[in-house]
Amino acid sequence: MKKTPLYDNHLALNGKMIEFGGWLLPVEYTGILEEHRQVREAAGLFDVSHMGEILVRGRDAGAFLQELLTNDLSKAPDSKVIYSPMCYENGGVVDDLLVYKYADDHYLLVVNAANTDKDFAWIKDHLSGHVEAVNVSDAWAQLAIQGPNAEKILQEVTDFPLSGIRFYSFIPDVMVCGVQAMVSRTGYTGEDGFELYIPADKAPKVWESLLELGRALGLVPVGLGARDTLRFEAALPLYGHELSAEITPLEAGLGAFVKLDKDSFIGKDALLNQHNQGLKRRLAGFEMVGRGIPRSGYDIADNGSRIGFVTSGSYSPSLGKNLGLAMMDSRYCQPGTEFDVIIRNKAVRAKVIEIPFYRKKYRK
Amino acid sequence: MKVLDGLKYSREHEWIRVEGNKAYVGITDYAQHSLGEIVFVELPEMDACLEAGDVLGVVESVKAASDVYAPVAGRVVEVNESLVDDPAGLNRDPYENWIAVLEITDDTSLDELMDASEYEAYCAGEE
């Protein structure tokens, strides 16, 4: 089991440690509901050092990534962050990731922790031209500061004018708490906020300073539990749930990140074919009408026949309702359509509603 | 962790308080603490006849659902409806907020339950 550079900090803060993707991380400190609320109303600090980082460099790096990923990087300026699925030939998803473009010949891919080794092997297997890929995950710690007060708090520990960093862009060398960091305006909560990439050995210093200086503005440490409920309300996909080798990005509602007009990319034929034939199933959001909490893996049925399955489900702290995301027969995906969720062998009524469940207006 | 004298405890972290032929059943402080904030409770049907070890109800935290088992055989004669609107009552006071009352039909399983000091030692071993 791996520990992040902040393991001792989590223990000192009374974090309830669990295993996640091969890592020991806090699921909560004071409680998921309270931490969730704090991020929506003030700010939260997350240790996301378990995320993998893969450096892709060389003269042909841009062309290689164009072939590897479904999104189009060709028009991206330097200092831009691009979200993209990475697919198999059959259209299933290897992983979903962020691409940080430093320059035409220099990129950093940020991938899901549990997929890092698989992704790195996949990338190495497909390298072509003048490109090298290096797994630099161990060198980096990653912190996320999220919530309406995130900018104000982070501004207290840096001279760099953060208001100039636009949504999904980054600055490679910002001094934060006296430590050189890469800072992007990104996140996984549905709130404004930043992600900081810092050398692993400097992580405790930045973590401690931020928590101390941010306290007056409501900054609290937040565990994986609230990270999941926050991303769930914003309907941001989680690999292994909304995305997998068996689910295509089109089915998951990520068509905006699949550029079928690109010349070529891995999975294009399968995805173009699926697009042309129309989706037989797709992701939809729903709320429970009857009593019960939907959970990942529960069946969805209509009149006793199975029409899909729950990919993620939870009590929603912000909305006070029991909500779910499901991969369902496309004919049932219109808002207002009712169906059954099978909870412990009982059929419980639910109905389709619009996603995201929670949408905040913040600067982009 | 709070453990009350005079109650019996199961390995699945239920408590039971026997009064005559009735048994109050709930989850322990240890259980509520390891579950985290409880956001949903499913109560048993009134008059359901349960064997010891049958599922009596379900408590769900934000993260997961956990079954609650009947520590003794009995018929459900009362359920704590207040938990439907206030599931967090199980976090605040797990020993005050019983889940259901059973009319005991067979008390043989009671002998297998732990007393307070045995349960305390059992929980220490789970850590």
Side-chain angles (χ1 to χ4, degrees):
Chain A
M1 203 81 71
K2 294 201 212 172
K3 293 174 182 172
T4 74
L6 295 168
Y7 179 77
D8 290 335
N9 296 77
H10 301 317
L11 294 187
L13 288 163
N14 246 330
K16 198 188 275 186
M17 306 303 280
I18 58 157
E19 189 270 337
F20 178 78
W23 293 80
L24 273 171
L25 283 164
V27 63
E28 61 177 51
Y29 301 89
T30 58
I32 294 172
L33 300 177
E34 189 183 326
E35 291 164 26
H36 179 109
R37 205 173 305 122
Q38 204 65 17
V39 174
R40 291 272 182 255
E41 290 168 9
L45 187 64
F46 303 72
D47 175 14
V48 284
S49 302
H50 56 302
M51 301 294 283
E53 290 88 12
I54 296 168
L55 188 66
V56 177
R57 236 176 356 200
R59 203 172 56 221
D60 298 323
F64 166 65
L65 291 175
Q66 266 311 73
E67 177 68 19
L68 186 75
L69 305 173
T70 64
N71 207 341
D72 185 1
L73 276 62
S74 65
K75 296 172 201 86
D78 296 354
S79 296
K80 183 77 188 150
V81 186
I82 303 109
Y83 171 79
S84 181
M86 173 165 76
C87 285
Y88 294 105
E89 287 291 358
N90 71 3
V93 179
V94 181
D95 202 0
D96 65 328
L97 50 84
L98 292 180
V99 182
Y100 285 75
K101 181 178 180 188
Y102 284 80
D104 285 337
D105 58 355
H106 182 188
Y107 302 81
L108 187 72
L109 311 188
V110 179
V111 305
N112 283 299
N115 291 339
T116 307
D117 292 342
K118 176 185 75 175
D119 292 354
F120 187 57
W122 176 259
I123 289 166
K124 295 276 272 186
D125 279 352
H126 290 82
L127 282 181
S128 70
H130 200 273
V131 194
E132 67 161 352
V134 189
N135 183 352
V136 293
S137 302
D138 291 341
W140 292 98
Q142 189 187 341
L143 306 185
I145 180 168
Q146 301 277 300
N149 293 349
E151 183 179 312
K152 223 182 285 179
I153 294 165
L154 191 58
Q155 193 64 76
E156 291 190 20
V157 296
T158 180
D159 293 331
F160 188 92
L162 296 171
S163 60
I165 307 181
R166 299 184 56 194
F167 191 56
Y168 269 70
S169 64
F170 73 101
I171 304 294
D173 50 354
V174 178
M175 291 302 278
V176 177
C177 308
V179 174
Q180 184 162 322
M182 189 261 272
V183 177
S184 60
R185 192 173 215 120
T186 50
Y188 195 48
T189 58
E191 299 293 329
D192 186 21
F194 299 86
E195 291 178 299
L196 319 179
Y197 297 77
I198 46 190
D201 59 325
K202 303 289 198 309
K205 181 183 171 181
V206 177
W207 172 269
E208 287 159 20
S209 306
L210 272 172
L211 279 182
E212 197 183 316
L213 289 163
R215 193 178 301 136
L217 282 167
L219 185 69
V220 297
V222 182
L224 291 176
R227 181 170 161 84
D228 190 44
T229 52
L230 289 159
R231 73 92 197 163
F232 168 71
E233 287 181 344
L236 297 167
L238 173 61
Y239 192 88
H241 291 257
E242 285 71 39
L243 293 171
S244 75
E246 280 79 43
I247 298 173
T248 75
L250 301 180
E251 292 171 324
L254 299 175
F257 308 97
V258 178
K259 303 297 189 206
L260 293 169
D261 54 354
K262 276 205 300 185
D263 280 350
S264 155
F265 63 88
I266 300 172
K268 181 180 173 182
D269 291 348
L271 292 168
L272 191 58
N273 196 28
Q274 186 175 54
H275 171 80
N276 289 339
Q277 294 194 346
L279 294 171
K280 292 189 179 61
R281 59 174 194 172
R282 64 178 69 190
L283 194 74
F286 66 88
E287 74 172 68
M288 297 304 297
V289 176
R291 283 194 80 237
I293 301 180
R295 301 285 183 186
S296 174
Y298 286 4
D299 280 335
I300 286 182
D302 180 47
N303 279 323
S305 35
R306 187 177 186 273
I307 57 165
F309 60 96
V310 178
T311 56
S312 293
S314 179
Y315 169 75
S316 158
S318 302
L319 286 87
K321 293 175 177 176
N322 295 327
L323 305 176
L325 292 169
M327 188 54 63
M328 298 205 296
D329 187 319
S330 298
R331 290 169 297 182
Y332 291 85
C333 292
Q334 278 303 312
T337 309
E338 289 209 12
F339 53 84
D340 294 324
V341 180
I342 309 302
I343 302 180
R344 295 179 282 276
N345 298 319
K346 273 186 285 188
V348 185
R349 285 312 260 179
K351 72 164 188 231
V352 176
I353 61 171
E354 300 271 6
I355 45 176
F357 304 118
Y358 173 91
R359 196 195 299 264
K360 186 119 174 193
K361 292 258 185 288
Y362 56 90
R363 30 167 300 131
K364 294 203 171 178
Chain B
M1 182 190 77
K2 200 161 122 186
V3 175
L4 297 191
D5 283 331
L7 306 183
K8 294 269 200 182
Y9 298 89
S10 74
R11 290 169 175 275
E12 288 76 34
H13 304 284
E14 290 93 14
W15 60 261
I16 179 168
R17 188 173 78 234
V18 179
E19 291 180 5
N21 68 338
K22 281 188 180 174
Y24 291 78
V25 181
I27 62 167
T28 66
D29 190 42
Y30 180 95
Q32 71 78 18
H33 181 77
S34 37
L35 285 164
E37 294 142 306
I38 293 165
V39 294
F40 184 84
V41 177
E42 190 173 298
L43 299 166
E45 303 273 338
M46 282 293 283
D47 289 323
C49 287
L50 304 174
E51 297 295 322
D54 283 356
V55 173
L56 172 83
V58 179
V59 294
E60 300 201 32
S61 67
V62 182
K63 291 296 288 175
S66 305
D67 289 336
V68 179
Y69 302 97
V72 67
R75 183 171 68 90
V76 178
V77 292
E78 243 184 293
V79 293
N80 189 352
E81 291 281 358
S82 75
L83 292 175
V84 171
D85 292 324
D86 181 27
L90 289 175
N91 292 118
R92 281 198 311 275
D93 197 342
Y95 296 110
E96 190 62 35
N97 288 299
W98 47 271
I99 292 172
V101 181
L102 300 174
E103 189 178 77
I104 299 172
T105 51
D106 178 355
D107 64 3
T108 45
S109 69
L110 287 180
D111 297 337
E112 293 156 30
L113 299 174
M114 294 171 268
D115 66 18
S117 61
E118 287 168 330
Y119 179 64
E120 232 163 339
Y122 173 73
C123 289
E126 296 256 288
E127 289 290 321

